[in-house]
């Protein structure tokens, strides 16, 4: 069995090992590792169809749900960089981050898109919005989640473990939020380290109570996926 060196490989390796094992639970629904891996690959292919270049940023402005996790691992699978936004951020805070790191694609819901209003017109680097469902208006093309995942399979850009995979923003409690750059190696090593000292097993269930926009919260995913365990998503 190959070792994970890239962030998205945490899901791919687990899916190869135990495709039918539960990976994610949200409410009454559960995705197996095979289903999660297929969704990650589909999202990556969709981003390639949109013309995402290597290292370009994909922002995710959602509460914890399946699409949040799929986009977080699918953007790196395409060779891009994911930027998780705290779902509690106000529109002007979202706009600041979108501009600060030149986000090209924004993944959000119709309700959140409606709240952003004129903010997106002030984000010149933004080229696409992907909505989890339904329709919405934006100053750039808007794409449906399901249609994006149905794009023909395409290989992502070639990346190595020292390449950037995420930009996590600080809370900005003492000033403007600052982007913390993380590589594939940073995030994979972190997940493996935590899984090791907590002695996580494939039979474990981890409760994702912390925001996925923070390193400790996101490591609940990497730790579980490295172990082949299940993550239960909780918004509170």
């Amino acid at each position: 069995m190959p070792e994970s060196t890239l962030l998205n490989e945490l899901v791919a390796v687990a899916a190869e090992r135990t495709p039918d094992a539960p990976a994610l639970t949200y409410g009454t629904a559960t995705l197996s590792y095979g289903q999660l891996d297929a969704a990650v690959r589909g999202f990556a292919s969709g981003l390639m169809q949109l013309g995402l270049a290597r290292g370009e940023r994909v922002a995710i402005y959602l509460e914890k749900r399946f699409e949040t996790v799929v986009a977080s691992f699918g953007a790196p699978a395409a060779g891009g960089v994911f930027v998780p936004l705290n779902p509690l951020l106000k529109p002007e805070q979202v706009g600041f981050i979108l501009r600060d790191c030149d986000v090209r694609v924004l993944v959000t819901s119709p309700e959140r898109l409606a709240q952003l209003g004129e903010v997106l017109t002030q984000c010149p680097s933004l080229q696409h919005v992907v909505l989890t469902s339904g329709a919405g208006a934006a100053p750039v093309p808007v794409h449906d989640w399901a249609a994006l995942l149905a794009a023909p399979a395409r290989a992502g850009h070639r990346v190595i473990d020292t390449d950037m995979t995420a930009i996590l923003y600080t809370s900005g409690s003492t000033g403007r939020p600052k982007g913390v750059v993380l590589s594939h190696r940073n995030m994979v090593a972190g997940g493996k380290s935590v899984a090791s000292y907590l002695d996580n097993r494939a039979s474990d269930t981890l409760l994702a109570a912390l925001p996925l926009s923070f390193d400790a919260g996101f490591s609940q995913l990497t730790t579980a996926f490295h172990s082949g365990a299940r993550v239960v998503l909780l918004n509170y």
Side-chain angles (χ1 to χ4, degrees), residues 111-190:
E111 298 78 15
R112 290 180 180 274
L113 177 63
Q115 294 173 7
L116 293 177
E118 295 297 312
V119 166
L120 298 187
T121 64
Q122 303 162 18
C123 302
S125 297
L126 186 67
Q127 297 177 347
H128 301 278
V129 170
V130 178
L131 289 184
T132 52
S133 63
V140 295
V142 177
H143 309 272
D144 176 72
W145 175 269
L148 193 76
L149 264 64
R154 301 186 185 197
H157 299 287
R158 182 180 180 275
V159 296
I160 59 175
D161 62 344
T162 54
D163 284 331
M164 176 169 50
T165 191
I167 302 176
L168 273 59
Y169 274 78
T170 61
S171 61
S173 56
T174 58
R176 287 288 198 180
K178 298 174 179 61
V180 179
V181 174
L182 296 168
S183 69
H184 285 269
R185 182 185 294 178
N186 292 148
M187 303 201 78
V188 172

Side-chain angles (χ1 to χ4, degrees), residues 174-235:
T174 58
R176 287 288 198 180
K178 298 174 179 61
V180 179
V181 174
L182 296 168
S183 69
H184 285 269
R185 182 185 294 178
N186 292 148
M187 303 201 78
V188 172
K192 291 180 178 180
S193 174
V194 174
S196 175
Y197 70 70
L198 292 181
D199 194 24
N200 287 121
R201 311 287 179 86
S203 57
D204 288 343
T205 295
L206 281 70
L207 181 64
L210 297 173
L212 300 181
S213 54
F214 294 120
D215 56 352
F218 196 84
S219 73
Q220 294 171 310
L221 297 177
T222 57
T223 298
F225 295 164
H226 171 65
S227 306
R230 179 175 64 147
V231 178
V232 176
L233 302 175
L234 173 68
N235 291 294

Side-chain angles (χ1 to χ4, degrees), residues 20-138:
D20 296 327
L24 275 181
T25 293
Y26 180 55
T28 59
T30 296
L31 290 182
S32 69
Y33 272 101
Q35 292 171 319
L36 177 59
D37 183 50
V40 167
R41 294 175 187 271
F43 184 75
S45 296
L47 290 179
M48 295 300 291
Q49 181 170 274
L50 295 183
L52 187 78
R54 182 178 183 273
E56 287 190 329
R57 285 56 152 156
V58 178
I60 305 161
Y61 184 44
L62 290 169
E63 69 280 10
K64 271 173 279 188
R65 52 194 289 172
F66 290 151
E67 293 92 340
T68 310
V69 178
V70 170
S72 298
F73 287 81
V81 175
F82 79 98
V83 184
L85 305 180
N86 190 321
L88 299 180
L89 291 181
K90 301 292 189 265
E92 59 272 15
Q93 295 171 306
V94 172
F96 168 77
I97 292 176
L98 297 184
R99 293 189 298 272
D100 187 62
C101 66
D102 293 329
V103 164
R104 291 290 190 271
V105 179
L106 171 64
V107 181
T108 191
S109 64
E111 298 78 15
R112 290 180 180 274
L113 177 63
Q115 294 173 7
L116 293 177
E118 295 297 312
V119 166
L120 298 187
T121 64
Q122 303 162 18
C123 302
S125 297
L126 186 67
Q127 297 177 347
H128 301 278
V129 170
V130 178
L131 289 184
T132 52
S133 63

